[in-house]
Amino acid sequence: MEKLKLSPSYDPKEVEDKWYDLWEKAGLFEPLYDPMKPKFSMVIPPPNITGSLHIGHALNNTLQDVLARYKRMDGYDVLWIPGTDHAGIATQNVVERELAREGLSREQLGREKFLERVWNWKALYGSQIIRQLKKLGASCSWSYERFTMDEGLSKAVREVFCRLWEEGLIYRGDYIINWCPRCNTALADIEVHFEPKAGKLWYIKYPLEEGETFIVVATTRPETMLGDVAVAVHPEDERYTHLIGKRVILPLIHRVIPIMGDYQVDPEFGTGAVKITPAHDFNDFEIAKRHKLPFIKVIDEAGRMTSEAGPYQGLDRFAARKRVLEDLEKGGFLIKEEDYNVVLGHCYRCDTIIEPLLSKQWFVRMKPLAQPAIASVEYDFIQFYPQSWKNLYFDWMKNIRDWCISRQIWWGHRIPVWYCESCGETVVSREEEVENCPRCQARNLRPDEDVLDTWFSSALWPFSSMGWPEKTEILKNFYPTSVLVTSFDIIFFWVARMIMMGEHFMGAVPFHKVYIHALVRDEKGQKMSKSKGNVIDPLEMIERYGCDALRFTLIALAAQGRDIKLSVERIEGYKHFINKIWNAGRFILANIQDLKKEDLNNIDFDNLSPFSKWILNRLDQTILRVRQKLEEFEFDQAAMSIYHFFWDEFCDWYLEISKVYLQKEERSKETRSILYHVFTQTLRLLHPFIPFITEELWSYLPYKETAFLLKESYPKYMAREISKEEKFICELLRELIVAIRNIKSEYNLTSQRNISVYYKNNKEILTKIEAEVDVIKFLARINTIHLSEDHQRQPGEVISLLSSGELYLNLKDFIDFKRERERLTKEKIKIQEKLLLIETKLKNPKFIERAPREIIEKERKIYQESYSRLKRIEDLIRGLGYET
């Protein structure tokens, strides 16, 4: 057979696109609907059509791809549904900015023309992230790709809305909501992020209607006092009980409002008397409902003062605050101001300070939907990995509020509601268009102008993407899905809502397991952002280091419950691992090409040499651990198990030993068979993690039964056990070789081969060691080693005590013993001092309490490394003896 020559170095650019196209054309990512195969399914967390692949996407989809490829190779029929989200507010903002550059606005275009522009934009740019996912190697079932505004998914949205309406779980009403004046839309509670900020607390006199006395009210928002309808105090606050029932005159506006008692008032806040502004404060809204107070809206949707604000009409809310304070001071109503920390809500999209506004909106009653979803997690029908995320889920679900689902934008699923202008009927319909009022048959129907919250359609994704409300084969075979892989920041936005909707409409959980992965931060643990200049672009990393290097880095760092600290250096480091695999492949392929098929596959384990048995046993243990860790979503441990096996045991040991064995006729055939077997099994193990290089190397293997590695079976644990005696000899040989290497390295004698080496032990062990003398000489880089039962230490010899036996190296011609002892003694003292300092620090409770976790871990790591070095130095000093 002709000798095969691989390129000296691995070039991912020549490999990745080639193999992805071949996999896709061969239909390897598509489900088979094979009744004999167990089913495994996932739905991708659909990225926004506005998006470009960022490092969080790269992590999320790499982990999903590991599972999809692993399960396919393990005999499962796999469906992994990809898709994109229409991302209402985000997409509309992008297109509006594009229009602004043309000197246009959406209002100038009108709704229909504006939506045409958005669909055109989506056609041009919306699939960009899908192409990027393919660059990442994502093996999604692309023929099942969905978009949240596809016709089928839109039908599902209308069906869900109508059913919830018919069940009394959707309603429309005046309610105080979070409003973004910049995006000009309502926001759900979880779409608001809160930030503490230094503010002020102003104390204002409210004169009583009768007499010349007053009550002092404290507020952080004086501009909203223009909408006050009452002053409230705690009913048991003795300072104010005599005032309950009396009335005050609202400064500046001169409205007469009551003083009332309510147990919700905190007597410790300010003066204990608070203003009630129900149209602009969530707590005040609840108090006003209890006491049947009116609602006066003084700030509009643009953040400007309304006509109810009297002379302040038209002012921006913050300009109005300034004017109100000036006028209060002029009128003698402002007593004082003091510093006060306030917590301000911001829009999650544009960071504008939100405004609590009274508005007519559509809501979903959440508590009836939440109860079954809580039970599903409590009784482990759905399991969270790590389990600690369950507590966060329960905290939110058990305190859930009604969900505001209407948004005052144009891009999205339009609320399927029409209002009859003739009889006032509200028509909720599953049809896309309604022409006649079902009550009076009039044709003058006005459609609701609002669209649904983007997360409404996303909540239906696991079953709407499979064709619901139709009864499809996909649903029959693949719902519920097996696992959801996502990040913690959308547990409330998405995960919880999918569980509620799945339970309610499918009568079953949408997925059995939820794996919550970490956030990817920079190497210092800081959040990545363009403003900080610390963003790592995954596409740039793929271009520079190849997809496999990026994927393996992300997986290797993806420890459960711990954020990833990523750096370019880490990716470059794991690129060396990819190169290591390639170089090992070149060596192995060059040495097995002329073997017959029966020689490659015919392994008689019982009659193998100890090192061959050892490497097969280590392979089996690695297979067992990788499978266990993948099932437990401990991706990092699975990846690192293969990494350490392949690099530290197979390449560093067996592959190097094979260079000796291949020269021996009696061991050559066995060695090549073992190299072939271990390498092919390792390629299979690695494929879900690094698919491109493994598929490329697989294509060069002789006697393949399948054209694609992806179609091969995943390795199974075979429990090949090595005897205690053989394991002992293998470990002793490795210890002996390492000891020789370490001594040579310590004294800068790595390249020096002409050193007298003696190994002392009993006859039985020496007989077994003698069979591997050539291995020792080759790996330790020495010319000779003397095996002896009774060697006595000679002048100039250093000694190393092994777990069994004694090792002697004669260095009298190579080192100055006195100088080396002095050098090592000085280093020993320095390390002891260093260890004492670290010990003192780690025993200090204040340090442990105040220092960041990563600093403490760093100190502990330094301590362990220093302690290991100290022990090594003590061994070396003992080994030098007292020679001068």
Side-chain angles (χ1 to χ4, degrees), residues 495-514:
V495 179
R497 288 167 176 169
M498 281 192 291
I499 296 172
M500 287 185 275
M501 293 299 184
E503 286 276 17
H504 193 73
F505 290 99
M506 297 298 295
V509 296
F511 27 73
H512 295 297
K513 296 175 181 180
V514 181

Side-chain angles (χ1 to χ4, degrees), residues 315-444:
L315 286 176
D316 173 79
R317 52 185 170 157
F318 299 115
R321 176 182 296 180
K322 186 178 179 183
R323 277 274 302 277
V324 164
L325 287 168
E326 288 172 355
D327 292 346
L328 286 171
E329 191 164 20
K330 286 176 186 175
F333 298 108
L334 186 62
I335 293 179
K336 66 173 180 176
E337 68 173 45
E338 61 187 25
D339 292 336
Y340 188 79
N341 288 328
V342 294
V343 179
L344 297 177
H346 294 254
C347 172
Y348 81 114
R349 282 290 178 196
C350 67
D351 210 39
T352 300
I353 295 174
I354 63 102
E355 186 62 49
L357 281 187
L358 188 67
S359 178
K360 194 173 286 293
Q361 301 286 342
W362 287 94
F363 295 87
V364 177
R365 299 185 201 279
M366 298 303 284
K367 286 195 180 294
L369 297 171
Q371 289 308 312
I374 291 169
S376 291
V377 177
E378 282 180 334
Y379 292 104
D380 284 338
F381 294 113
I382 296 175
Q383 295 176 307
F384 277 80
Y385 295 81
Q387 283 196 356
S388 55
W389 291 112
K390 280 202 313 188
N391 299 326
L392 192 67
Y393 172 83
F394 288 141
D395 284 347
W396 187 69
M397 292 290 279
K398 290 176 181 179
N399 296 286
I400 200 165
R401 288 171 43 165
D402 287 356
W403 175 16
C404 176
I405 56 171
S406 45
R407 297 290 180 271
Q408 289 66 48
I409 57 175
W410 289 352
W411 173 245
H413 293 281
R414 198 153 180 175
I415 289 177
V417 172
W418 291 258
Y419 306 99
C420 180
E421 302 284 15
S422 296
C423 69
E425 178 76 356
T426 297
V427 182
V428 178
S429 176
R430 290 168 172 80
E431 303 302 320
E432 288 189 63
E433 295 294 336
V434 176
E435 295 182 356
N436 297 86
C437 173
R439 181 178 176 188
C440 70
Q441 301 307 310
R443 296 178 65 85
N444 56 337

Side-chain angles (χ1 to χ4, degrees), residues 585-649:
R586 289 180 65 232
F587 174 81
I588 293 163
L589 287 165
N591 281 285
I592 63 171
Q593 289 299 311
D594 57 352
L595 274 185
K596 296 177 182 177
K597 185 177 181 180
E598 56 269 24
D599 293 330
L600 290 174
N601 295 313
N602 185 20
I603 296 176
D604 182 3
F605 184 79
D606 291 338
N607 292 314
L608 295 177
S609 62
F611 267 121
S612 291
K613 288 183 180 180
W614 171 79
I615 198 63
L616 291 179
N617 174 258
R618 294 303 307 135
L619 172 65
D620 284 346
Q621 295 303 316
T622 303
I623 291 168
L624 179 64
R625 181 171 171 80
V626 169
R627 281 180 162 275
Q628 287 174 342
K629 295 306 174 184
L630 285 176
E631 294 296 336
E632 295 165 1
F633 305 105
E634 292 182 334
F635 296 95
D636 61 316
Q637 295 188 42
M640 294 313 293
S641 293
I642 312 174
Y643 176 93
H644 288 301
F645 166 75
F646 188 78
W647 193 311
D648 300 343
E649 296 177 326

